[in-house]
Amino acid sequence: MAFVFEIEYSSPNGYIAEFAEALAKEEGAKVSLLQNAGVITLIADEADPNLAGYLEKLAELLPASCFMGSSSHRLTDGPPVRLKEEVKRRLPHSIAPCPKCMKEIFDPSSRRYYYPFTGCNCCGAQYPFFEKYPFIRQNSLMSFFEPCEECANESRSNPFRLDYPLISCHRCGIPVRVREGRRERFANDPASFKKLFEAAAGAICDGKRVAVKTLFGYRLFYDAESADTGRRKVMMVTDASKLGSLCSLIDEEIHALLSIERPLIEAAVADETLFGAYGRFTRLKYPDEGFTTILAKELLALGRAHVAYETGGDMADADMVIEFDLPTQPQKDCTLFINRSVRFFVEGERSLFPISLKERSDRIVVAYDMAAVPEADRVVVDRMEKFGSAEASSLYLLEGEEVSLHHSNTIRFSREIGSVLSVLREHGLEKESAVGVYFRKEPTFIYHNGKKPIVAVPAIEFDSKNLRRNIESLREESRRLVENFSEKFPGISERLFGGAADIFEAASIIAGLPDPGFDTLSEEALKFGGKGGLKIDTRLKNSRFDPYTFLSSLISYRLGGAESELLAYSAFESLADYISETLGELKVRSKAEHTVLCGRAFGSQSLFSRVRKSLEKDRFLMNIALPIDRENAIIGALAL
C-alpha cells in the first residue's frame, strides 16, 4: 500500500519540501514529493523499512514555517505513484538556519562551530551573497573562496549540501574583523569566533553599542535600558521562553516569531519596567541568521533575555564594530500582521521573494525594481538586476517606473489595480467579479467584472505644498480655523504646513506626536482605552475621501482639547468606517461576488479591526503569501 502524507503550505517557496526531500535521502527512504496548489505531498511505500525512521526524524527536524498549516496522512491501495521530478531553477533563500545547521553551529566537535555563515540548500541567508542567475557558486560572492577538501567532498555526498553554491567552513570561509577604537583583530577559527561573540555580548551588557554586519545587513545592538538612542528600535528576544512575559502575544504570534522565516511582529510590551526603553509598543524579532543566533546565545549566558537593535542608523557611534569585507545585498525584512484568524505580510522581501510560479506567460512585468520573467512553464519573480536577457511578447510596466528596458509593446498598469488583482489571483478568483480597496496613503476603490478592472472611486491626491490653501478653501469658516490653530500651536502649524508628506504624517503632527508618520499614529491609536472615537469628516466631493476635510476635522478637535490618543484612534476609526461603507455601496450596486483589501494602511491594528468588524458578514480577501502592498502588484499584472 502507498503511504500519503500531506502538509498544507500556502507559499510557492520550496525550502520546506527541499528539506523533507533531503532528509529522505539521508535516511534512505524512497519518497516522492510534490508541491502544488497549496499542498506538499509526500508519497512512499508503506513497507519501506526506512519509512518509520524517516517520519520520526521529519517530525523532529522539519522547520516550522509561517506558511505551514495542518497535516494529514492516509494509506491508499496499490503501489506508490512515483512522481516525475520537476526541473526547477534553484532560488536563493533568505531565512534562518534550519535545525540541522543550528546543531552544527553549537556543536564543539563540528568544523562549523560558531561559524555564522553556516547554511545548506534548505536554509540560511543565501540571497545576500547571490549576484545573478543561475544561482551557482561562480555567480555568487563565494566565488572568491575555494572550498576546502572536506567541503568539496560534502557538496558531493551530503543530501543537504549537494552542489550547495555557498558551502564553506572555518577552514575555507569568510574571516570576520573586529574593531574597537584603533584596535583591530580577526576571527577565522572556532576559538577566535567564540571570543569575538563573548566580547560583543559582554560589551553590550556593559552599556556599549555594538555594530554588527549581519548576513541581513548592519544592525546596531545595545541595552535599551542603559544605552538608549531614542530612535525607533527592535526588541530581539534571546530566550524563547520569555516571549510571552516580555510582550503581549497570542500563540500564533509566538509560533510565527520562531518560524524559519523569522518575521518582524508589532507587539504591545507586557513588562511595564521596559516602557521607558521600548515604549508601550515595539517591533519584535527572534534571532534570524548566524550572527544574531550566536550573539543571542552569549547574551543569554550573561542573563540577558532581550537586546535592542536598529537598522539603517549611524554605525559610526558604535563602540565595537564586527564586519566582513564582502559587499552583500540583503533584502528588506518582512513584517507579519496577525489579528485573530487573519494573518498577512504587511511589507518586505525576505522569505517572500524570489519566487517561482508554475505557469506559462509571454510577458515580462516590472515594478519597484523587481521583475516577473517567463521561463518555459514557470515565471520567476526577483530583482531586475539578477536576470540576464529574456524574450517576451509584451512588457507590463508600473506607472511612474523608469527603467532602461525597451519593448515595442509596452503596457502601463497602476499599483492599485495590480495589488487588487494579486489578491484575486492568489485565491484563484481573477475571473470572478469583485470590489476592492487599495489603501497606502489615500484609499482608491477598484471594480473588477471578471475580465477588466477599473478604478471605481479614485483617490484625491494629497498636495503637501498647498495644504494650507486647500484646507482654507474648504468652506467660509476654514480660513479662521487655520488661523486659530496657527496662533495656538505655532510650532505644530509650521511643521504641518511646511511639507507633511501624507495624511498620516499630517495627522500625527496635528496630534502633537514626535517622529510623525503612519507607524507613530498607529501606535498612538492603540493606547486609546475608550469605547468610541470622535466622528472625523472623511467625505466631501462626490463621496470620495477628501484628505483636506479629514485634516480640517482633526484640527477642529485638537483646538477643542482632544488628546493625541483619542485623535489617533478617531482618525483610523473614521477611515475604516468610510472604507467599509464605500465597499458595501459598491458591492450592492455592482453585485460583485468578492471584496478585496490591500495596501500598507491595513497594517494598522486599529484600522483593520474596525474594517473587519464592519465586514464580518461579508467574507473579504487579502494576500496569502505576498505582501499586501508594492511587490504584490507584479503578480497582479500577470492577470491583466
Side-chain angles (χ1 to χ4, degrees):
M1 298 184 73
F3 174 83
V4 180
F5 181 54
E6 293 180 328
I7 304 171
E8 292 179 356
Y9 192 73
S10 59
S11 170
N13 279 320
Y15 43 81
I16 295 297
E18 290 165 7
F19 186 96
E21 188 172 34
L23 187 63
K25 291 177 180 177
E26 186 175 74
E27 294 296 314
K30 294 181 179 180
V31 169
S32 292
L33 277 111
L34 176 68
Q35 181 174 337
N36 198 16
V39 177
I40 297 173
T41 303
L42 180 156
I43 302 175
D45 188 340
E46 184 201 13
D48 185 339
N50 295 320
L51 180 61
Y54 165 64
L55 293 175
E56 287 180 11
K57 283 286 187 181
L58 191 67
E60 175 190 350
L61 297 174
L62 188 68
S65 171
C66 288
F67 304 111
M68 197 181 293
S70 61
S71 62
S72 62
H73 67 274
R74 64 182 185 275
L75 294 175
T76 61
D77 292 330
V81 177
R82 292 298 170 194
L83 303 173
K84 183 180 179 181
E85 288 191 15
E86 290 185 88
V87 178
K88 294 186 290 186
R89 165 171 273 185
R90 172 177 274 164
L91 300 180
H93 310 310
S94 271
I95 51 180
C98 69
K100 287 182 70 67
C101 288
M102 288 281 282
K103 183 178 179 181
E104 280 187 276
I105 291 172
F106 295 119
D107 180 0
S109 66
S110 165
R111 71 178 196 277
R112 295 189 177 93
Y113 180 56
Y114 267 55
Y115 184 59
F117 303 96
T118 300
C120 69
N121 282 319
C122 313
C123 77
Q126 301 175 11
Y127 197 90
F129 297 88
F130 163 62
E131 294 187 300
K132 64 180 180 179
Y133 288 108
F135 179 34
I136 55 178
R137 195 176 186 90
Q138 294 93 313
N139 293 336
S140 77
L141 296 177
M142 292 304 293
S143 62
F144 299 106
F145 298 85
E146 186 71 24
C148 65
E149 184 178 352
E150 287 175 287
C151 282
N153 289 335
E154 188 181 8
S155 70
R156 293 189 291 267
S157 60
N158 183 342
F160 286 89
R161 294 198 176 101
L162 286 175
D163 299 318
Y164 177 45
L166 308 181
I167 193 166
S168 67
C169 68
H170 282 299
R171 294 166 190 162
C172 60
I174 306 167
V176 172
R177 180 174 60 249
V178 185
R179 289 189 287 112
E180 289 183 87
R182 295 183 179 181
R183 294 174 55 208
E184 184 175 290
R185 61 186 185 277
F186 284 85
N188 53 14
D189 59 33
S192 56
F193 267 100
K194 193 167 194 315
K195 287 181 181 178
L196 178 157
F197 285 105
E198 288 173 345
I204 292 169
C205 292
D206 288 340
K208 295 181 179 180
R209 298 171 186 173
V210 178
V212 182
K213 182 180 180 179
T214 73
L215 304 182
F216 294 146
Y218 277 97
R219 294 175 181 175
L220 182 66
F221 292 90
Y222 55 90
D223 181 349
E225 296 176 85
S226 62
D228 192 16
T229 65
R231 296 187 290 263
R232 187 168 169 80
K233 62 184 74 69
V234 176
M235 180 195 293
M236 187 178 84
V237 178
T238 65
D239 185 350
S241 68
K242 295 291 196 304
L243 279 167
S245 59
L246 291 170
C247 292
S248 298
L249 299 167
I250 59 175
D251 288 345
E252 288 80 0
E253 289 172 319
I254 293 175
H255 295 158
L257 284 164
L258 300 178
S259 72
I260 197 165
E261 290 83 19
R262 300 286 206 277
L264 285 166
I265 284 184
E266 301 272 356
V269 177
D271 187 341
E272 294 183 6
T273 64
L274 298 179
F275 284 178
Y278 292 99
R280 298 272 297 277
F281 300 91
T282 189
R283 292 176 295 168
L284 203 58
K285 166 74 78 170
Y286 195 66
D288 58 355
E289 49 76 63
F291 282 90
T292 50
T293 297
I294 301 172
L295 179 61
K297 183 178 186 296
E298 291 299 330
L299 285 167
L300 187 57
L302 295 175
R304 299 301 174 109
H306 60 88
V307 64
Y309 76 78
E310 300 171 13
T311 59
D314 186 2
M315 301 297 162
D317 292 340
D319 301 294
M320 176 187 289
V321 178
I322 299 171
E323 57 191 351
F324 53 96
D325 286 333
L326 295 180
T328 53
Q329 302 178 52
Q331 296 171 295
K332 184 180 179 182
D333 208 347
C334 62
T335 300
L336 182 66
F337 178 101
I338 298 178
N339 183 293
R340 291 188 286 175
S341 61
V342 177
R343 63 167 59 197
F344 54 81
F345 288 94
V346 178
E347 58 186 350
E349 300 173 86
R350 195 182 309 156
S351 78
L352 306 181
F353 297 99
I355 53 174
S356 176
L357 306 173
K358 191 175 182 180
E359 66 173 76
R360 290 185 177 274
S361 177
D362 61 351
R363 69 182 64 172
I364 292 174
V365 181
V366 175
Y368 302 108
D369 295 322
M370 295 188 72
V373 177
E375 294 186 349
D377 63 343
R378 306 193 78 87
V379 174
V380 177
V381 184
D382 200 351
R383 292 180 180 175
M384 276 183 59
E385 69 267 17
K386 304 299 184 182
F387 296 100
S389 60
E391 293 184 1
S393 64
S394 57
L395 170 63
Y396 279 70
L397 194 58
L398 183 72
E399 291 176 353
E401 190 96 352
E402 297 298 331
V403 297
S404 58
L405 296 177
H406 299 283
H407 198 287
S408 59
N409 186 22
T410 298
I411 301 164
R412 292 279 182 174
F413 68 95
S414 73
R415 63 181 180 181
E416 295 88 352
I417 284 176
S419 292
V420 169
L421 280 181
S422 78
V423 177
L424 293 172
R425 194 178 181 284
E426 277 201 283
H427 289 270
L429 302 172
E430 63 266 39
K431 294 183 179 180
E432 298 185 17
S433 62
V435 294
V437 59
Y438 171 84
F439 189 10
R440 183 176 181 86
K441 294 182 178 179
E442 299 93 21
T444 298
F445 295 86
I446 306 297
Y447 169 65
H448 179 54
N449 64 4
K451 296 180 180 179
K452 184 178 180 180
I454 61 170
V455 175
V457 182
I460 297 175
E461 189 173 348
F462 182 75
D463 181 2
S464 61
K465 293 182 180 179
N466 297 300
L467 178 57
R468 185 181 190 119
R469 185 178 67 187
N470 288 334
I471 293 178
E472 288 179 340
S473 62
L474 286 172
R475 53 183 73 90
E476 290 184 11
E477 64 272 19
S478 296
R479 181 179 295 275
R480 185 58 188 160
L481 175 72
V482 172
E483 290 174 354
N484 290 340
F485 185 73
S486 298
E487 289 174 8
K488 188 171 183 179
F489 305 106
I492 290 177
S493 177
E494 184 178 353
R495 291 170 65 206
L496 176 64
F497 299 121
D502 54 52
I503 62 167
F504 297 114
E505 185 172 317
S508 54
I509 290 173
I510 292 169
L513 301 175
D515 191 22
F518 174 83
D519 292 326
T520 301
L521 191 70
S522 184
E523 289 181 6
E524 191 70 11
L526 291 173
K527 298 176 184 177
F528 179 68
K531 294 183 178 180
L534 305 166
K535 183 64 177 176
I536 310 296
D537 293 337
T538 53
R539 302 188 198 205
L540 184 64
K541 300 177 181 178
N542 302 321
S543 295
R544 294 163 67 183
F545 170 75
D546 187 283
Y548 311 112
T549 302
F550 176 74
L551 295 176
S552 173
S553 186
L554 286 173
I555 287 173
S556 297
Y557 284 118
R558 180 69 198 274
L559 281 170
E563 297 293 332
S564 60
E565 296 174 8
L566 176 58
L567 284 174
Y569 176 82
S570 302
F572 283 113
E573 182 182 64
S574 297
L575 285 167
D577 290 345
Y578 164 72
I579 287 168
S580 303
E581 291 166 10
T582 305
L583 283 172
E585 292 169 5
L586 287 174
K587 193 168 187 182
V588 169
R589 292 207 310 263
S590 66
K591 298 181 181 179
E593 299 168 87
H594 306 288
T595 302
V596 171
L597 306 179
C598 56
R600 171 73 176 85
F602 289 106
S604 162
Q605 286 281 1
S606 298
L607 178 75
F608 179 80
S609 296
R610 182 78 172 190
V611 171
R612 176 176 181 158
K613 183 178 180 181
S614 300
L615 298 178
E616 61 184 351
K617 295 181 180 179
D618 182 13
R619 178 176 173 266
F620 57 87
L621 307 173
M622 300 189 76
N623 286 112
I624 302 170
L626 296 170
I628 61 171
D629 206 337
R630 288 177 57 86
E631 295 85 1
N632 65 347
I634 301 169
I635 309 302
L638 290 170
L640 283 169

